[in-house]
């Protein structure tokens, strides 16, 4: 039986994308007869077993953790808002210009000796480090030097060209330092896994293409039979300053004003971390404010129910030329068999490919008012005529059973 040690910061944070990706992958790895250990952070040092997984929780009490909990929760979760206070902007600038790779670097330094000892005593075959935070990979680099273990660095998000980092205003010198750390991680890794094709192309400029592998996220949600009585338009996930749908909000408010049937049947459901400026903009709308439901967090079971009871799903892409991330929710959306309204001004090769392959609407620009209106109106009329059917296709390649098999090939390849 081969043994894997995964180091990931977000394992115990319910609903986090990093946690969801790896919890689904680990379930499949266990079925493939791998012995799994997880090293993550917590409020104390402890070791326990959970569903055949060995969980190693290491206490993290760094000063950056205190700062993050007090002031930078929004940046930690990716909710960057143009209305953020001067203090938050200042602290985020400090984070990008004085912490390399990021504010969790002390977690990396404190746990190096422990990881080496654990790998040696337990005969671990593979080490996987999953980021962000990218400082997790520094543990991998140091462990690789001391043990010669097979090390895979797994990038769920970009590093140097990440919108979240760039929004924090790193100086020219800081970018050079971040570039040094990114390239160091890439060059020292035995293998590199990315979740976006553009990110793969970025990394190919630094290291040989043969050691970089593209493994998308996936989804294991269930498709449920649901009686849909309302025309529910739903958004799940992060909504920040990179994805500000003001035109869509205006369109929905106008449709509610002008169309009584639409007003009686419509519900706008938003689930996730939402920037305050967007919440306030919706609440300022006479009609839409009464038809919008906000929930910051829902369990996975409730998520499935809400997804299956939706008539139309909203996918928002970052309004940035850097399309080097693929939204995690697109895979849940596709597997749910629902139609999707995707907004994004810039070409996103992976998203555009998935939308075309699985017969969804093409991406629409944030300011293409007529196209947005016509799409919503078209779907609503299908709903009225009882012709809004699920899109039945073979989604097996998006399931984690398929994705784990791809990942295993990387592990065992020479």
């Amino acid at each position: 039986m081969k043994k894997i040690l995964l180091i990931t910061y977000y394992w115990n944070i319910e609903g986090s994308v990093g946690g969801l990706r790896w919890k689904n992958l680990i379930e499949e790895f266990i079925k493939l007869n791998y012995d799994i250990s997880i090293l993550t952070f917590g409020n104390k040092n402890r070791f326990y077993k959970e569903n055949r997984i060995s969980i190693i929780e290491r206490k993290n009490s760094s000063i950056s953790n205190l700062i993050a909990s007090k002031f930078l929760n929004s940046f930690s979760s990716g909710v960057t808002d143009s209305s953020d206070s001067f203090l938050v902007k200042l602290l985020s600038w400090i984070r990008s210009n004085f912490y390399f790779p990021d504010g969790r670097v002390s977690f990396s330094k404190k746990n190096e000796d422990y990881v080496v000892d654990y790998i040696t005593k337990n005969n671990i075959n593979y080490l996987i480090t999953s980021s962000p935070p990218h400082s997790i990979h520094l543990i991998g680099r140091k462990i690789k030097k001391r043990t010669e273990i097979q090390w895979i660095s797994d990038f769920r998000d970009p590093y140097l060209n990440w919108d979240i980092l760039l929004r924090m205003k790193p100086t020219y010198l800081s970018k050079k330092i971040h570039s040094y750390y990114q390239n160091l991680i890439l060059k020292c890794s035995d293998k590199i896994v990315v979740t976006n094709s553009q990110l793969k192309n970025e990394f190919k400029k630094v290291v040989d293409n043969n050691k970089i592998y593209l493994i998308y996220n996936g989804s294991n949600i269930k498709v449920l039979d649901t009686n849909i009585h309302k025309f529910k338009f739903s958004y799940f996930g992060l909504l920040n300053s990179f994805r500000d749908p003001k035109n869509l909000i205006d369109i929905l408010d106008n449709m509610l004003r002008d169309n009584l049937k639409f007003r009686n049947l419509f519900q706008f459901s938003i689930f996730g971390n939402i920037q305050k400026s967007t919440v306030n903009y919706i609440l300022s709308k006479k009609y839409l404010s009464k038809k919008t439901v906000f929930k910051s967090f829902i369990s996975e079971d409730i998520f499935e129910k809400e997804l299956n009871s939706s008539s139309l799903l909203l996918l928002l892409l970052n309004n940035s030329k850097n399309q080097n991330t693929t939204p995690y929710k697109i895979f849940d959306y596709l597997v749910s068999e629902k139609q999707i309204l995707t907004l994004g001004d810039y070409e996103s090769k992976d998203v555009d490919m998935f939308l075309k392959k699985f017969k969804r609407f093409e991406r629409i620009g944030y300011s293409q008012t007529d196209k947005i209106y016509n799409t919503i109106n078209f779907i609503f009329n299908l709903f009225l005529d009882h012709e809004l059917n699920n899109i039945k296709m073979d989604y097996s390649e998006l399931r984690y059973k398929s994705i784990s098999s791809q990942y295993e090939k990387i592990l065992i390849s020479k």
Side-chain angles (χ1 to χ4, degrees), residues 247 251 364-374:
N247 282 332
I251 291 165
I364 302 173
Y366 279 92
S367 59
Q368 292 182 288
T369 305
D370 289 344
K371 280 191 174 183
I372 296 171
Y373 169 84
N374 290 335

Side-chain angles (χ1 to χ4, degrees), residues 102-203:
D102 47 62
R104 312 296 187 188
V105 67
S106 62
F107 179 70
S108 166
K109 292 176 180 177
K110 289 177 181 178
N111 290 287
E112 180 186 339
D113 289 339
Y114 181 91
V115 177
V116 169
D117 187 56
Y118 186 86
I119 286 173
T120 303
K121 287 182 177 178
N122 292 277
N123 298 312
I124 303 296
N125 303 103
Y126 306 107
L127 172 66
I128 303 175
T129 54
S130 182
S131 69
H134 299 300
S135 55
I136 292 295
H137 294 312
L138 292 187
I139 304 178
R141 174 184 170 265
K142 292 174 182 176
I143 303 313
K144 173 66 181 178
K145 287 178 68 176
R146 292 175 60 178
T147 66
E148 287 302 313
I149 192 171
Q150 181 85 299
W151 171 39
I152 298 95
S153 56
D154 184 89
F155 285 81
R156 301 189 313 272
D157 283 310
Y159 178 0
L160 183 63
N161 291 319
W162 191 20
D163 286 338
I164 299 296
L165 175 65
L166 297 177
R167 176 64 185 270
M168 296 183 191
K169 306 295 184 185
T171 63
Y172 174 82
L173 177 59
S174 294
K175 287 181 182 178
K176 288 291 185 183
I177 298 172
H178 283 297
S179 178
Y180 165 78
Y181 277 105
Q182 172 189 273
N183 295 349
L184 182 68
I185 293 164
L186 295 177
K187 290 174 182 178
C188 293
S189 302
D190 290 300
K191 294 162 187 175
I192 301 153
V193 173
V194 296
T195 59
N196 177 276
S197 63
Q198 183 175 319
L199 183 58
K200 181 178 180 180
N201 289 334
E202 289 179 21
F203 286 175

Side-chain angles (χ1 to χ4, degrees), residues 4-215:
I4 297 172
L5 172 61
L6 168 69
I7 305 179
T8 177
Y9 196 83
Y10 292 107
W11 183 261
N12 289 326
I13 300 178
E14 196 170 357
S16 70
V17 170
L20 289 172
R21 169 178 168 81
W22 276 104
K23 283 180 179 178
N24 282 301
L25 276 171
I26 291 301
E27 283 181 13
E28 298 300 329
F29 279 144
I30 290 171
K31 295 174 187 176
L32 293 170
N33 202 33
Y34 282 86
D35 181 273
I36 307 294
S37 298
I38 309 291
L39 177 69
T40 189
F41 86 104
N43 296 321
K44 59 183 178 181
N45 292 330
R46 62 173 178 153
F47 177 92
Y48 60 98
K49 289 277 191 176
E50 182 179 85
N51 300 325
R52 295 172 59 191
I53 305 169
S54 299
I55 309 290
I56 310 150
E57 196 172 285
R58 300 291 289 171
K59 185 177 181 180
N60 185 19
S61 56
S62 66
I63 185 65
S64 61
N65 234 28
L66 177 63
I67 292 173
S69 64
K70 292 290 185 183
F71 304 109
L72 292 181
N73 279 332
S74 56
F75 273 96
S76 298
S77 59
V79 185
T80 58
D81 194 327
S82 55
S83 63
D84 281 330
S85 69
F86 171 77
L87 181 58
V88 168
K89 290 177 181 178
L90 174 63
L91 289 170
S92 69
W93 182 86
I94 291 171
R95 175 256 187 254
S96 68
N97 289 287
F98 291 92
Y99 291 92
F100 305 99
D102 47 62
R104 312 296 187 188
V105 67
S106 62
F107 179 70
S108 166
K109 292 176 180 177
K110 289 177 181 178
N111 290 287
E112 180 186 339
D113 289 339
Y114 181 91
V115 177
V116 169
D117 187 56
Y118 186 86
I119 286 173
T120 303
K121 287 182 177 178
N122 292 277
N123 298 312
I124 303 296
N125 303 103
Y126 306 107
L127 172 66
I128 303 175
T129 54
S130 182
S131 69
H134 299 300
S135 55
I136 292 295
H137 294 312
L138 292 187
I139 304 178
R141 174 184 170 265
K142 292 174 182 176
I143 303 313
K144 173 66 181 178
K145 287 178 68 176
R146 292 175 60 178
T147 66
E148 287 302 313
I149 192 171
Q150 181 85 299
W151 171 39
I152 298 95
S153 56
D154 184 89
F155 285 81
R156 301 189 313 272
D157 283 310
Y159 178 0
L160 183 63
N161 291 319
W162 191 20
D163 286 338
I164 299 296
L165 175 65
L166 297 177
R167 176 64 185 270
M168 296 183 191
K169 306 295 184 185
T171 63
Y172 174 82
L173 177 59
S174 294
K175 287 181 182 178
K176 288 291 185 183
I177 298 172
H178 283 297
S179 178
Y180 165 78
Y181 277 105
Q182 172 189 273
N183 295 349
L184 182 68
I185 293 164
L186 295 177
K187 290 174 182 178
C188 293
S189 302
D190 290 300
K191 294 162 187 175
I192 301 153
V193 173
V194 296
T195 59
N196 177 276
S197 63
Q198 183 175 319
L199 183 58
K200 181 178 180 180
N201 289 334
E202 289 179 21
F203 286 175
K204 280 164 57 177
K205 297 174 183 177
V206 181
V207 294
D208 194 314
N209 181 46
N210 292 332
K211 67 187 284 186
I212 311 173
Y213 300 85
L214 175 61
I215 302 287

Side-chain angles (χ1 to χ4, degrees), residues 281-319:
Y281 194 65
I282 292 173
L283 294 178
S284 72
K285 297 299 178 181
K286 180 178 179 180
Y287 298 97
L288 187 58
S289 60
K290 299 171 185 175
K291 293 290 185 175
T292 303
V293 175
F294 296 100
K295 288 187 180 178
S296 59
F297 173 78
I298 53 175
S299 67
E300 289 185 47
D301 289 343
I302 299 298
F303 166 67
E304 278 192 350
K305 291 177 182 177
E306 293 289 349
L307 194 64
N308 279 280
S309 64
S310 298
S311 303
L312 178 62
L313 302 172
L314 175 62
L315 182 67
L316 302 176
L317 305 184
N318 282 3
N319 203 359

